[in-house]
Structures are given as structure tokens and as C-alpha cells.
Amino acid sequence: MKKSSDIELKKIKTALVIPGFFLLLTFSLKLVETLEGFSLVEWGIKPLSVVGLPGILLAPLVHSDWSHFFANALPFLVLGTTLFYFYRGISVRVFVYIYLLSGIWVWLGARDAWHIGASGIIYGLAAFLIVGGFIRNYIPLMAISLMVVFLYGGMIWGIFPLKWDVPYSWESHLWGTIAGGMLAFIYRRQGPQKPVKEWPEENYDHPFWEVDLENQLSDND
């Protein structure tokens, strides 16, 4: 029989697979860009443009520079691993839908610019974990929600542009947040749930005084 620590270690390793692979891929692309001296910015999303359609799939893999990559890497790893560890039954679907919905909505409703980076997915993951924990009213998941608020609550300002021409894709942040929150409601009855308390069955076939009398007679025997 496997030790509980071995089982938990296996769960953690499994939860790291997709976030780790994603970061390895984005790191490799950024490294190739740097070594070869070209830019993959045109892999990004160009709203309402045919050339920008592939960006729905490719934009999260591309970052403007190394500081942009590292700013996204740690939150993506933490939030992604948390999703795949605590919401194992629905994590793949939630991740894919956040990935696609945030990209599609940016393509449909954002400024005429190249939108790149994984920040939309990060905002979606944060929103799902925060809303998903509280909506289930389950203390361990609510604790995860509070942890995400504590660590990344300041990200909320990223969905409000101080001016229209800001140097980051606030639209990706906004649409990612909406996608994550919406999916938390859609999947609220799937994945981990608050345990239902089971109360002992009561004997309603006889009045309570008859039950007590039966118990007394059995004791005397």
C-alpha cells in the first residue's frame, strides 16, 4: 500500500505537467527569438483581422521581452499547478476553455494592436480559483481562494486601463477574468465539493415511549 506522502507527491508531479510544459515551450520560443534576433509578435492576436486569428492559439506563447516572460512565469506556474492539483476532475477543461475564450474575446473586442502574452490565462486562472472556492462554500477551497486573493489580489487593477493606450493588454486581463469567473459558475457542481453530512437514521415506526420501553426490556434480559 502506498504511503500518503507518495500519493501526494505523485499528485503534485501530475499537476505540474501542463503548466511546466507550457512554460518550457514559451521559454524555448523566447530563447530562440533572443538568439536569432527576430520577433514573434505577429503570432499575437490582431482583433477582427484574419492574420490575427492564429493568435488565439499562439499569442499566450509569445512575450515581448524577458521581463514580460518572467513576470508571467511564476503566477502561471503557481495558479496553473493549483488548478490541476485541487480541481483534477475538471482542470483540463477549465484550462482549455480559459485559453480559448480569453483569446476569442480579445480577437472580437480589443484595441487594434498585437496582443501577446499569457496574462489573460493567468487572470482567468485567478478568477476561477477565487470564485470557485467561495461558491462551493467548502473551507479548504475557500482557503485556496483567500491565498490567491492575498498573493495576486493586486492584479485587479490590470483590468482597468488608466488610459486607452496603455502598454499592456488590459483587454486580455478583462476577458480572462470574465472567462474564469464564468467557468467557476458553470462547473460549480463538478469537481471537488463540500462533503454532505450523513445523519443517523431515526426510528419513526413507533412512538418514542415504545422505543424506550423496548430498550429497557432488552436491557433487563
Side-chain angles (χ1 to χ4, degrees):
M1 185 175 181
K2 291 184 178 180
K3 295 180 180 178
S4 58
S5 58
D6 294 335
I7 295 174
E8 289 304 312
L9 183 60
K10 184 178 179 181
K11 289 179 181 179
I12 293 172
K13 289 180 178 179
T14 303
L16 281 166
V17 170
I18 292 180
F21 176 77
F22 181 90
L23 287 179
L24 179 61
L25 182 57
T26 55
F27 174 83
S28 300
L29 288 173
K30 192 70 237 168
L31 185 61
V32 170
E33 281 185 284
T34 302
L35 295 176
E36 297 297 327
F38 62 84
S39 173
L40 295 174
V41 68
E42 292 187 0
W43 281 19
I45 299 173
K46 185 82 167 175
L48 300 178
S49 168
V50 175
V51 296
L53 272 174
I56 294 172
L57 295 178
L58 300 176
L61 304 175
V62 182
H63 293 82
S64 58
D65 51 36
W66 283 109
S67 62
H68 186 200
F69 169 79
F70 286 114
N72 283 341
L74 184 58
F76 183 89
L77 183 63
V78 171
L79 296 172
T81 304
T82 301
L83 172 72
F84 283 95
Y85 182 86
F86 289 99
Y87 291 85
R88 287 186 296 277
I90 58 173
S91 55
V92 173
R93 281 174 286 170
V94 169
F95 181 80
V96 170
Y97 282 134
I98 288 175
Y99 196 115
L100 294 177
L101 287 175
S102 59
I104 291 170
W105 290 342
V106 167
W107 188 84
L108 290 172
R111 290 165 294 166
D112 184 20
W114 290 103
H115 298 260
I116 58 174
S119 56
I121 300 175
I122 292 170
Y123 273 76
L125 292 172
F128 179 87
L129 292 171
I130 292 171
V131 177
F134 285 116
I135 202 171
R136 284 171 170 78
N137 194 28
Y138 182 28
I139 290 178
L141 296 181
M142 291 172 69
I144 297 301
S145 299
L146 291 174
M147 181 197 74
V148 174
V149 171
F150 176 76
L151 292 175
Y152 301 111
M155 294 194 315
I156 191 171
W157 300 111
I159 67 176
F160 302 112
L162 300 178
K163 56 181 180 178
W164 182 251
D165 191 24
V166 291
Y168 58 85
S169 179
W170 63 268
E171 298 96 327
S172 296
H173 302 171
L174 175 63
W175 290 122
T177 301
I178 293 173
M182 181 186 75
L183 290 167
F185 276 94
I186 291 175
Y187 287 107
R188 66 188 181 277
R189 302 196 185 282
Q190 299 183 44
Q193 300 290 326
K194 182 178 180 180
V196 178
K197 291 184 178 180
E198 295 185 1
W199 299 98
E201 294 184 1
E202 297 288 347
N203 188 346
Y204 295 105
D205 295 334
H206 305 284
F208 70 89
W209 57 84
E210 291 185 7
V211 174
D212 288 343
L213 181 59
E214 290 175 2
N215 291 335
Q216 291 177 15
L217 290 174
S218 63
D219 291 340
N220 293 331
D221 293 339

